[in-house]
Amino acid sequence: DAAAGKAAGAAASKKTEFDHFNEELKAEAKGVWHSTFKEEQEADHKKRAAEAIAAADEAIDKPEEDVNPALKYLQETDPEMPGPAPTEEEEERLRAKALMPKKHKRLLQRIEKSAKNKEDANSRLRKKRRQAETDA
C-alpha cells in the first residue's frame, strides 16, 4: 500500500511536471518570453494561494451548524476542572523521566506497573483479612 501511494504521488508529480513543460512550450510557440511566462505563473500562483487562504479563513470564521445542540449545553453546565497541580517531587520525577531514553522509560514503566500490582494485591488481601476478622 505504501509503495502504491508513493508511486501514485510520483505519477502525480510527473504529470504536473509534464503539464508545466507543455504550458511552457505552448507559451513559447505563441511568442511569449520565458521570463514573462514565469512572472505570469508566479502571479497566478499568488492569486490561487490568496483565494485558498480566503476560503480557509471563511471556513474558520463560519460557525459550525452541524453540532449537536445537546453537547453545547452539556459543555456549558459541566466545565472541565483542571486536576491538582503536581507536587515538586512529582515535577522533578517527570523532568527526569523526560530526559530518559525510551528504553529506560519502558523499563521504569514495567517496574512501576509491577510495584502497583503488588500494592493492589496486598491491599485486596488486607481488605479480605479485615472482612474475615469482622465476620468471625
Side-chain angles (χ1 to χ4, degrees), residues 45-75:
H45 177 70
K46 287 179 184 179
K47 180 182 170 189
R48 284 186 285 131
E51 289 172 358
I53 290 171
D57 287 343
E58 288 177 17
I60 290 172
D61 293 339
K62 186 175 161 182
E64 294 183 25
E65 297 174 4
D66 296 337
V67 177
N68 186 349
L71 293 176
K72 178 182 171 186
Y73 297 113
L74 179 65
Q75 291 173 354

Side-chain angles (χ1 to χ4, degrees), residues 100-111:
M100 287 182 187
K102 187 174 182 177
K103 185 177 183 179
H104 291 160
K105 285 181 191 177
R106 298 289 187 239
L107 195 69
L108 180 64
Q109 185 179 23
R110 289 186 191 108
I111 291 169

Side-chain angles (χ1 to χ4, degrees), residues 23-119:
E23 289 174 7
E24 287 179 352
L25 284 178
K26 287 177 185 176
E28 187 178 338
K30 290 180 185 176
V32 178
W33 289 92
H34 177 71
S35 59
T36 308
F37 176 76
K38 193 172 183 181
E39 290 171 0
E40 289 174 359
Q41 288 291 333
E42 288 176 3
D44 184 47
H45 177 70
K46 287 179 184 179
K47 180 182 170 189
R48 284 186 285 131
E51 289 172 358
I53 290 171
D57 287 343
E58 288 177 17
I60 290 172
D61 293 339
K62 186 175 161 182
E64 294 183 25
E65 297 174 4
D66 296 337
V67 177
N68 186 349
L71 293 176
K72 178 182 171 186
Y73 297 113
L74 179 65
Q75 291 173 354
E76 288 177 4
T77 59
D78 189 25
E80 292 186 30
M81 299 297 273
T87 63
E88 189 65 33
E89 291 174 3
E90 290 173 348
E91 285 183 11
E92 184 63 32
R93 190 161 199 275
L94 289 173
R95 277 189 233 113
K97 198 173 179 180
L99 296 175
M100 287 182 187
K102 187 174 182 177
K103 185 177 183 179
H104 291 160
K105 285 181 191 177
R106 298 289 187 239
L107 195 69
L108 180 64
Q109 185 179 23
R110 289 186 191 108
I111 291 169
E112 289 173 344
K113 184 177 179 182
S114 64
K116 181 181 176 292
N117 288 343
K118 286 180 184 178
E119 182 59 37

